[in-house]
Amino acid sequence: MACRNTELLRATLAHIEANPEQWWQGDHRGPGRRGEILDFAARAVVLAGGVWAFGPVQHGPDRALNFLIEESGDSAGDVELVRGVRVVDVRARAKRVLGLDEETARDLFHEGIENVEELRELVDALCASASEEVM
């Protein structure tokens, strides 16, 4: 497991713990009408300053419009043109800003995480692993 930005990882978890009603791991932008209910990946990119390219979309044919406006650090391979806007998928941005490898991103962003305690255990393990790599 690898995470290079433990500060953002902890800040994301802290936001979720303080506002559990705004967390839902089932989709990047959950069932809230204003787009305030986010999964871990989406919350991390919002805390890192990411800007949504489109309004909140929960379900239906436009569900895939949970994209962020491209920013300078995004990989060219992650950028696509959607409705005339250069965008990046939430997951790709979250991997970049958190400094995650593919396996760690898959574990952390998994929709099967059902409670904050399970999420906290995973974040704690990532932070412990990151501090061991520094030593």
Side-chain angles (χ1 to χ4, degrees):
M1 288 199 273
C3 176
R4 291 186 304 277
N5 190 345
T6 56
E7 184 177 328
L8 179 57
L9 188 73
R10 287 268 183 219
T12 304
L13 177 63
H15 185 282
I16 290 169
E17 288 178 322
N19 305 280
E21 74 284 356
Q22 293 180 1
W23 174 66
W24 182 57
Q25 202 65 12
D27 197 0
H28 295 309
R29 291 168 96 178
R33 293 183 180 175
R34 296 182 307 273
E36 75 279 10
I37 300 174
L38 306 174
D39 72 354
F40 195 94
R43 181 62 63 197
V45 299
V46 167
L47 291 175
V51 177
W52 294 106
F54 307 102
V57 177
Q58 285 77 43
H59 299 287
D62 288 338
R63 181 175 175 190
L65 294 181
N66 290 324
F67 292 102
L68 301 151
I69 295 173
E70 175 190 23
E71 62 183 35
S72 62
D74 293 324
S75 167
D78 291 333
V79 177
E80 54 188 295
L81 194 62
V82 175
R83 294 188 178 175
V85 180
R86 293 178 58 82
V87 299
V88 174
D89 180 71
V90 172
R91 191 176 192 285
R93 173 75 58 77
K95 276 179 53 181
R96 179 177 66 80
V97 298
L98 287 166
L100 304 176
D101 60 28
E102 185 60 38
E103 179 184 356
T104 304
R106 186 175 49 250
D107 293 344
L108 186 59
F109 304 156
H110 190 269
E111 65 183 41
I113 297 174
E114 296 181 3
N115 57 61
V116 176
E117 292 75 25
E118 191 177 342
L119 188 62
R120 184 181 313 111
E121 288 175 14
L122 184 54
V123 168
D124 287 346
L126 285 170
C127 289
S129 176
S131 66
E132 288 174 8
E133 290 176 13
V134 173
M135 293 179 182

